[in-house]
Amino acid sequence: MNKLSGKTALVTGSSRGIGRATAIALAREGALVAVHYARNQQAAQETVELIEKDGGRAFSLGAELGVPGDIDQLFRGLEAGLKQHTGQTTLDILVNNAAETSTGTAPEEVSAEEFDKTFAVNVKAPFFITQRALGLIPDGGRVINISSGLTRVANPAQSVYSMTKGALEQLTLHLARHLAPRGITVNSVLPGITDNGNAFFKIPEVREQMSELSAFKRIGEPDEVADAIVFLATDEARWITGAALDATGGSLLG
């Protein structure tokens, strides 16, 4: 406990699912967490309340990503919240988790609008969030990008989404080299099928089919992925950078 005492963190897309679990887990280790949401302020506030109920510290901030002015709006809220809670604007840990997902579209049916929106949220936003955050992140900080196990397997219906996550892993690789002189580590985490509360996870046939993909024959839980993310945020992972950590529950073992 308290491995991150005195640290600050921003988790984008932390109103539910893996993002919420990550925010809670980081706060449990002592970090002050900025809980970002795109549209669902109530859900983000629920995350903050869960953290505070557990004795942690957090604040929420809203900014829809992938639209003009998104980075400015995000950082206005972040810097104001950090200043209010700590008197400074230092950001120790950045978790790029927010993503535009898809229920699956065949390559022949992908529209230009869908393509552009997915890349705007999943690639452009993390790049410029990280760029802006580097002015706040001190030496020894952490950047953690949430990719996907889909970058390792073929799923034509998720081709655009997978492409964006592949791009995010490239960002991880190049920034890891670029930021190493400052002691800032940059890593990716690759979740597999994880129960994010979506209604289809409650359908027994769907759960059974999805469970078969994991070596453990079950669906992952958000806190299991969050634990991997928190590990990369701690000093224990100081010698790990440019890595892609498989958190798929053995879904890529064949």
Side-chain angles (χ1 to χ4, degrees), residues 172-195:
T172 293
L173 186 66
H174 296 286
L175 282 182
R177 168 65 76 179
H178 181 62
L179 297 174
R182 292 182 54 192
I184 298 173
T185 66
V186 188
N187 293 290
S188 297
V189 174
L190 284 61
I193 294 175
T194 309
D195 189 346

Side-chain angles (χ1 to χ4, degrees), residues 147-153 169 188-193 214-216 224-225 228-229 232 243-254:
S147 180
S148 169
L150 282 170
T151 60
R152 302 295 190 271
V153 296
E169 288 182 32
S188 297
V189 174
L190 284 61
I193 294 175
S214 165
F216 298 114
E224 294 174 313
V225 179
I229 297 167
L232 291 174
L245 179 56
D246 183 327
T248 67
S251 296
L252 304 178
L253 296 178

Side-chain angles (χ1 to χ4, degrees), residues 193 204-220 251:
I193 294 175
E205 308 83 59
V206 173
R207 288 191 69 89
E208 182 178 356
Q209 184 180 20
M210 289 181 171
S211 295
E212 286 300 312
L213 296 174
S214 165
F216 298 114
K217 303 303 179 186
R218 67 176 178 83
I219 293 171
S251 296

Side-chain angles (χ1 to χ4, degrees), residues 9-51:
L10 166 63
V11 183
T12 63
S14 45
S15 61
R16 65 182 184 91
I18 291 171
R20 170 178 283 185
T22 300
I24 291 171
L26 288 169
R28 193 170 289 144
E29 289 293 346
L32 166 67
V33 182
V35 175
H36 162 260
Y37 66 92
R39 291 173 291 275
N40 196 335
Q41 182 179 9
Q42 180 178 346
Q45 189 56 37
E46 288 172 4
T47 302
V48 171
E49 290 170 1
L50 287 169
I51 289 171

Side-chain angles (χ1 to χ4, degrees), residues 102-111 114-115 155-160:
S102 137
T103 55
T105 306
E108 297 89 342
E109 299 172 0
V110 175
S111 67
E114 179 183 351
F115 186 97
N155 184 341
Q158 297 285 352
S159 59
V160 175

